[in-house]
Structures are given as structure tokens and as C-alpha cells.
Amino acid sequence: MLRQAVRESGAHIGVVYLLSETEPVLVMDVEVGLPAQLVKPWTRVRMNAGAPVASAARERRLVWVADHEDLARRFPATALAAPYPFAIAAAPITTGSRLRGVFVLIWPDSHACELAPHERQTLTLACDKIAAILQQQDERAPDRAGEPRVLTPAPRRTPERPPESAVCGYLDQLHVGCLTLDLEGRITFASAAAAELFDGDVTTLLGRPLWEVAPWLKDPLFEDRCRGAVVSQRTTSCVARCPDGRLMEFRMYPDPYGISLRAVLLDAGQQAPAHVTEPESGREARTRAEVFYSFLPLAVALTRALSVPEIIDLAADHVMPVFKVKAMAILIAEGGRMRVIGSRGYGAKALERLDGLPIASGTPAGDVARTGEPAFFADVKELRRRYPQAEECDGMAAWACLPLEVDKEGVGICLLAFDEPHPFTVEERATFTALAGLVAHALDRALRYDSKDRLAHSLQKALLPRSLPEIPGLGVAAWYVPATRGVGIGGDFYDLIRLTDTSAAAVIGDVQGHNMTAAALMGQVRTAIHANAVAGASPGDVLKHTNRLLIDVDTELFTSCLLVYVDLQLRTLRAASAGHPPPLLRPPNMPSEIIDVPAGLLLGVDPDAEYSTLQVPFPPGALLALYTDGLVETPGADLDHAIANLAGHLVYGSPSLEQLGRTLLDHAPHTSQHADDIALLLLEHRAKPAFRGFTGERPVEGRP
């Protein structure tokens, strides 16, 4: 059935993918027209992949890609992985509402821009037949864990040929090496001249792989030309260097059954023919090699890039040296205008002309942004011919203006400029378009990440106190440092609540998680603590009431919290803890110490949990440090030792709370790449004892 569909549609490659029963992956079950070695990278295609096969499966519709440029624009990753000209149609295979797989046909890129009615009918009938087969075999589904079945094309139907001896005699008289290879590279015919070129005889060559007969042909360029000939069905050429140093020119004539090779040994010092060495072919060969050896690392790097500057640097570093690009600019569309978000090689005046350019201005950049169609200008004359009013603002001689699109939605454009005229080959156009697609996806992800990051920081800022109340005699400083990785928002919080003119409640806590849910719960905890504290409840009772509130909310997140009442008049601290790291106290003119506050259960665990209150002195000159575990906790390290080490940095005589806080943050064990949020709150008793006159008695500790 597959052979018949390929023959009737005029395609030269056909593939059947079946949907895995255990994971969202399309698995190649059977194919015809491709060598087994070539299909290996495509035997498994994930449903979320940027490929025509996956798109047809996800959207449950026929996907038609007319040529490689269209492929590069819509499926850039596939275009880079398969940099050959071809047309492809992928149609879903369904039984009722159930997706079963995808049927694929591939034609040379000489195919018309649209599918013919009989080709569409062939695709539809083939999908229906495959669906019927799968429906019948549901109870004995084939094992798809192994290699796909590779079929040979249907036998040729040709008129009677001349006698074989006459054909061989004719080819021998040409005095050039003639070979035919099947799709796996095995020699199926060799002329006498070919046998002589490869130091053998005809009988020893037949049936052997070409790479075994001539190992020196196992060269990336030669292999790429063979793959390209099979996939594109285009006649192509290349040269290879023999072991004796001389060049051998190969002309490749592909058909659905394999490749016919014409091999000619060039004389010493003889140059390869013009059709092999002309500049365009040279650039084409170089570009394909660089696609595999230079641009695939770029594709990998772009998947990890999260910031716009990083993406622009990656694109510039990989693209500009390879294609000798003199300048590059990335512009995004905002409010009907283009905004430059990054560039390399452009001067300030050129960027000023580009920034703010209206999309509807009738300029190359505006038209590309509006239509999504790339534009290439080999020289100034071509630019003037298409845009007579265009102004030269960058002093360049050639331009490639590429759309940055994601799922048919425009993100912006990428402008590449050359300081010399640059004729763009078909391969270069497709490569540039594919690279722009990769950059567009990375850029869209980075812009979304930046947007979420800004939203997260705004929400975090809104949930944390805008300012802390001023209480005479109490110095206060606070910091919040988000985790290095993640959405930029978490559950760490701090607060200072005025109770009276001489007392306040200091709060620090950590809601489990680093997401919007944790941030929302943090807001509820802060509100509950504030309400209970100003109502006059003790620190232990405040945590008890807050704990019951979280139980009633029925959240799956737990919260650690430390609540300290500071009374400047009584010179005391009263503290209660719900599983939070202990506070640090630096008495005046004395080393810092860890206050061992009894640690109750985390908030939100047990509705009957109780929280004890501890009271300690807080004389003038004393300093209190409250912090979250992000400041001290490191995987594999002893937490008690880390807290003691932090207390050692809480030295007396620091010029200011701000400098002391920075010192503590700088000594965090993983400040450069911390995986948890950090909150830090410092309180200093600056009140002086009230003058009561001389009584002859010593002052009593704890009294004003």
C-alpha cells in the first residue's frame, strides 16, 4: 500500500509514523525511499516538536510545506537538521476521534506550489487504508520498539531495454567511471573504467558499499552531497581528494532507487569544472557544513538562553563570522512601530533611524514585519529597484531582512547587513530563515520570561511592606533577595508592626515554594499576624491563631515564622517560633549569640499546635538579626555550624545597619547562585536611658 501511494502520487519518499501507546511520541513504523542510516534521527518525533509530522498530529490536519524556504520559515529546527530542498506533505491517521499516526510523502522541490487534487486524494485514501488496518489489528498491535521497516521502491515499469551487453559496451567507451548505488550505498553496477579508478574489477565491486571500496570517500562533504541528492532528487556535484593527492570529480544523478555516479579523475594541477567550483557552489557547501558544525550548537545554546541580551549575543557570535555579516539588529514590533532591542556592529545614527520606524512605512523592515516574508537585497541597486524611496542610513552594501515569527505570530525582525554586495544562494536564504525562526522562538520565550519576571517582582514588592514604621530609638534595615533561578517570586517575607510608641512586632517567615501560590499565602500570613498582633495577643498566641487560619484555608503549603515583640521601654524581647531559624542577638560590646527560641511546629500542620514565648533582655546598643534559611542553608552543610558562622559576622562597631546587612548577605554560602530566597531584618536599640537624677543607687536592668 505504501509503495503504491508513493508511485501514484509521484513522490519519491513515503513514511508511516504510528503514535506510541506509552508516551507522546510518533514512532516511524515503515518507510520507502530513504537509506536506513539517514532515517535514524527521525525514527522518533515528539508530539511537541517543531516538525511537519508533529504539527500534523497535533492539529489533526494536512500540513503541506512547498519548499525548503517555507520549511525554514515555519519549522526552523527541522530545516537546520535537514538542509536539503524538498516538498513534504504530512497527514494525520485517525480512527474516529483517536489519533493513530501520521502519513508522510516527500517530493523534489521542483513540485508545484500546491498539491494536485489526485495527490490529495492519494493521501486521503492511504490514511484511510492505514487506519482500517490499525483498527483490525488493535488486538495484536505490532511491536514498534525496534528499527523501522525499510522497503525498496516499487519495481520500475519501463519499455524493453537494449541488451545488457550493449549498455555496458556503450558505458565503457565513455572512458569515465560509471557506477550505480542503491539507497544503502551498495554498488549495483560498475563500468570497466570505474573498476579501474577504484583499483578493482567489476565483479569485486558489485554488492559492496562504496565507502568500503573507497574509504577515503567517507568524508562529511561527500556524504552530505549523497544525502542531499537522495532527499532532494537534484543532480549535484562535488570533488574528493584521492589517497595519491589527485582530485576526483563526482556528478550525482539521483532517482527514487538510488544514485548514478559519474567519476572523472582530474589531471595533476587541473582545476575542477566550473559547475563544481563556482562561488555559489562553494558557499553552498560551506554553509551546509557550518549548519551542522556551527549552528547546531547555537540551537542548543538558544534553548537555554533566558535573557534578550544573551540571545542577541549568541546569534551575533554564531552568525556574523560564518557569513561575514558586518552588522546585525533585532527589532520587535510595539504599538505599530519597530523598537531596537539589541544590535551588533551598527552605529548610533543607524540605530536611531531604525528605532521607532513605523511598520506601515513602506520600508523593507516594515513590510517584512507586516507580511512575515523575508527580503534579500544583494546590492544597493536591488534595494533601489524594489524600494526607490529607501534611504541609505547604515553605509552597507547588501541586506537580509528576516521575520521573527512564532506560530504565525510576528515577534519582530532580524536585520543582517553586509559591507560588500552579497548574492544570496537558495541555501543561504533557507538557512538564514531557519536561523531567524530559532532566534524568534528563543526571543519570544525570553520576552515572556522578562514579562513574568517583572510581574513577579511587582507582586513581590506589593506583598512586602513598602516602608517600615519609624519608632524613636529603634534602628531598622531590611532586605529581600530573590532566588537566582525561578520566577523571581517566593514566600519569604518580613514586616515590622507598630504596637505603641515604644514597642513593635518584628516578623520574618518563609512560605514553602517559589511561585504565585506561595506569594499569595505569604500575604495571608502577614495579614493574619498583623491583625492578631495589634489586637494585643502574645507572640505565641498570634502564631497559634495564624496556624488555625492556615488550617482552615486548607493549603498544602507550610510556613515557618518567627515573631518577636520589641519593647524599648522595658528593654526586652519576647519571641515565639514556628519552626524558623533562631534569631541572633548582639548585646552591646559583647559577641553575638544565638537566641534559642523554642521552635514549635510549622504553621499549617497541626490545628492544636502550641507556641511558647521566650523573653530576653534587649538593652540600648543591642542588635537583633532575623533571617530566613536562604541566608544560611547549603545542601550537605551543617545548619547549626552555618548559623554560628553567620553570628560570627554580626560584629560590634559596624558603621551602619546597611553596611552590616550587606556584609551578612555577602557571606552567605552561595550568594552567587543561590537557589532559595533570602529575607533579612536588622533591629538596633538606639534609645538612651532616661536621666532620673543621682539617687546613689545603681540602675536596675530591665527598667527605663
Side-chain angles (χ1 to χ4, degrees):
M1 185 279 303
L2 178 59
R3 288 193 183 103
Q4 180 183 356
V6 169
R7 183 175 61 250
E8 291 179 353
S9 65
H12 63 286
I13 295 172
V15 184
V16 175
Y17 283 92
L18 299 181
L19 181 62
S20 170
E21 297 173 353
T22 58
E23 54 183 331
V25 173
L26 294 163
V27 182
M28 187 182 294
D29 183 69
V30 59
E31 65 91 0
V32 60
L34 282 174
Q37 190 68 23
L38 188 57
V39 304
K40 286 186 176 180
W42 307 103
T43 53
R44 291 170 57 87
V45 179
R46 302 202 70 84
M47 285 286 289
N48 60 356
V53 175
S55 181
R58 289 194 305 269
E59 300 173 18
R60 306 289 182 94
R61 66 175 182 85
L62 172 66
V63 172
W64 164 247
V65 181
D67 52 36
H68 196 257
E69 191 167 333
D70 189 21
L71 182 72
R73 184 166 56 253
R74 296 163 56 190
F75 305 100
T78 301
L80 285 178
Y84 312 113
F86 59 86
I88 180 172
I93 302 168
T94 58
T95 53
S97 60
R98 179 183 175 187
L99 176 70
R100 306 302 297 264
V102 177
F103 182 60
V104 178
L105 290 177
I106 296 177
W107 292 264
D109 72 334
S110 56
H111 190 284
C113 294
E114 299 292 340
L115 282 171
H118 77 277
E119 293 168 339
R120 287 181 175 271
Q121 185 178 14
T122 299
L123 276 165
T124 301
L125 292 176
C127 290
D128 291 344
K129 290 180 181 179
I130 297 171
I133 294 172
L134 294 173
Q135 187 97 13
Q136 295 170 2
Q137 294 190 344
D138 265 352
E139 295 182 0
R140 49 186 181 89
D143 180 13
R144 307 168 198 150
E147 296 291 329
R149 290 175 291 150
V150 179
L151 306 181
T152 57
R156 302 175 191 259
R157 294 184 178 180
T158 59
E160 290 191 13
R161 300 180 180 180
E164 185 177 340
S165 58
V167 175
C168 294
Y170 167 74
L171 294 176
D172 288 339
Q173 290 175 6
L174 294 179
H175 299 295
V176 295
C178 299
L179 304 106
T180 59
L181 311 177
D182 64 14
L183 291 175
E184 301 301 330
R186 292 184 293 265
I187 299 173
T188 57
F189 172 83
S191 67
E196 185 177 344
L197 286 175
F198 293 106
D199 299 325
D201 57 62
V202 172
T203 57
T204 59
L205 295 182
L206 295 179
R208 297 173 62 191
L210 179 62
W211 332 112
E212 179 184 309
V213 171
W216 46 275
L217 286 178
K218 202 165 184 61
D219 172 83
L221 176 60
F222 186 82
E223 291 181 340
D224 177 71
R225 292 302 177 121
C226 289
R227 286 193 297 265
V230 170
V231 175
S232 67
Q233 294 293 288
R234 277 187 178 183
T235 300
T236 187
S237 306
C238 72
V239 294
R241 191 168 296 279
C242 303
D244 62 4
R246 288 189 295 173
L247 295 177
M248 185 178 293
E249 180 214 342
F250 289 91
R251 191 78 170 162
M252 305 176 185
Y253 302 89
D255 68 11
Y257 305 89
I259 302 175
S260 297
L261 290 177
R262 175 183 179 275
V264 178
L265 191 62
L266 304 180
D267 295 332
Q270 181 181 352
Q271 298 295 320
H275 62 76
V276 178
T277 59
E278 64 182 1
E280 288 193 2
S281 295
R283 279 205 306 274
E284 172 190 339
R286 184 178 66 252
T287 300
R288 282 188 180 175
E290 287 159 345
V291 164
F292 287 104
Y293 299 112
S294 296
F295 294 154
L296 289 185
L298 168 63
V300 173
L302 286 175
T303 63
R304 298 194 297 263
L306 291 178
S307 70
V308 172
E310 183 182 4
I311 291 169
I312 292 171
D313 287 343
L314 283 171
D317 291 343
H318 284 77
V319 176
M320 293 179 70
V322 173
F323 290 98
K324 298 181 180 179
V325 176
K326 192 67 175 179
M328 183 190 83
I330 303 290
L331 300 87
I332 61 172
E334 285 185 348
R337 292 182 176 271
M338 307 301 297
R339 179 170 68 88
V340 177
I341 60 171
S343 67
R344 179 80 67 85
Y346 269 121
K349 289 185 177 180
L351 293 176
E352 186 178 349
R353 296 289 297 274
L354 292 172
D355 200 31
L357 189 70
I359 294 178
S361 60
T363 61
D367 287 350
V368 170
R370 191 179 67 258
T371 65
E373 296 292 332
F376 300 90
F377 307 97
D379 50 35
V380 176
K381 290 182 179 179
E382 186 174 352
L383 175 65
R384 295 287 191 203
R385 188 163 53 248
R386 295 171 58 181
Y387 293 91
Q389 305 302 322
E391 297 182 12
E392 292 184 54
C393 62
D394 56 6
M396 297 296 169
W399 301 266
C401 197
L402 310 168
L404 302 177
E405 290 187 317
V406 176
D407 296 331
K408 300 181 181 180
E409 292 292 331
V411 176
I413 66 166
C414 174
L415 181 62
L416 304 177
F418 303 78
D419 57 354
E420 295 180 357
H422 187 98
F424 296 94
T425 65
V426 174
E427 286 73 16
E428 277 184 328
R429 292 170 183 252
T431 300
F432 278 140
T433 305
L435 287 171
L438 292 178
V439 171
H441 281 80
L443 191 62
D444 180 65
R445 185 174 61 252
L447 291 172
R448 292 176 185 272
Y449 183 87
D450 286 347
S451 177
K452 290 180 180 179
D453 199 48
R454 287 194 299 271
L455 174 62
H457 280 93
S458 298
L459 179 58
Q460 187 82 55
K461 187 177 179 180
L463 290 174
L464 292 174
R466 290 187 178 183
S467 61
L468 298 177
E470 294 185 7
I471 298 176
L474 185 65
V476 182
W479 292 264
Y480 173 78
V481 182
T484 305
R485 299 182 299 273
V487 74
I489 191 169
D492 288 23
F493 66 95
Y494 62 84
D495 203 355
L496 185 67
I497 306 164
R498 178 191 291 271
L499 300 179
T500 68
D501 290 341
T502 59
S503 65
V507 189
I508 197 157
D510 184 359
V511 179
Q512 177 188 13
H514 303 90
N515 50 39
M516 299 295 182
T517 303
L521 184 60
M522 177 258 283
Q524 291 177 302
V525 172
R526 276 193 60 218
T527 301
I529 290 176
H530 192 286
N532 285 285
V534 297
S538 67
D541 287 341
V542 170
L543 295 184
K544 182 178 179 180
H545 297 324
T546 304
N547 175 61
R548 289 178 177 172
L549 171 67
L550 295 189
I551 296 292
D552 292 339
V553 172
D554 195 22
T555 176
E556 296 180 354
L557 302 179
F558 304 134
T559 303
S560 72
C561 185
L562 177 65
L563 176 61
V564 181
Y565 281 10
V566 179
D567 194 316
L568 300 180
Q569 184 175 8
L570 298 177
R571 302 178 182 179
T572 60
L573 300 174
R574 289 190 297 153
S577 174
H580 199 82
L584 305 177
L585 179 65
R586 187 198 68 193
N589 301 313
M590 293 180 65
S592 302
E593 58 188 50
I594 300 172
I595 305 302
D596 190 16
V597 181
L601 290 175
L602 295 171
L603 302 178
V605 175
D606 182 1
D608 299 321
E610 298 287 339
Y611 301 92
S612 302
T613 299
L614 175 72
Q615 180 171 312
V616 297
F618 189 53
L623 185 141
L624 180 70
L626 312 181
Y627 55 92
T628 56
D629 57 6
L631 188 62
V632 292
E633 197 170 56
T634 304
D638 183 75
L639 182 59
D640 292 337
H641 176 75
I643 294 174
N645 183 55
L646 180 67
H649 293 295
L650 200 66
V651 295
Y652 187 77
S654 300
S656 67
L657 290 182
E658 287 72 19
Q659 182 173 336
L660 178 59
R662 291 297 174 190
T663 300
L664 297 180
L665 292 173
D666 290 341
H667 283 84
H670 40 270
T671 302
S672 61
Q673 197 64 231
H674 53 87
D676 199 1
D677 306 333
I678 296 175
L680 175 63
L681 180 62
L682 298 180
L683 305 173
E684 184 178 26
H685 188 172
R686 293 174 177 172
K688 296 180 180 180
F691 179 72
R692 292 180 175 274
F694 182 73
T695 63
E697 300 179 358
R698 299 179 63 183
V700 179
E701 184 66 27
R703 293 178 58 184

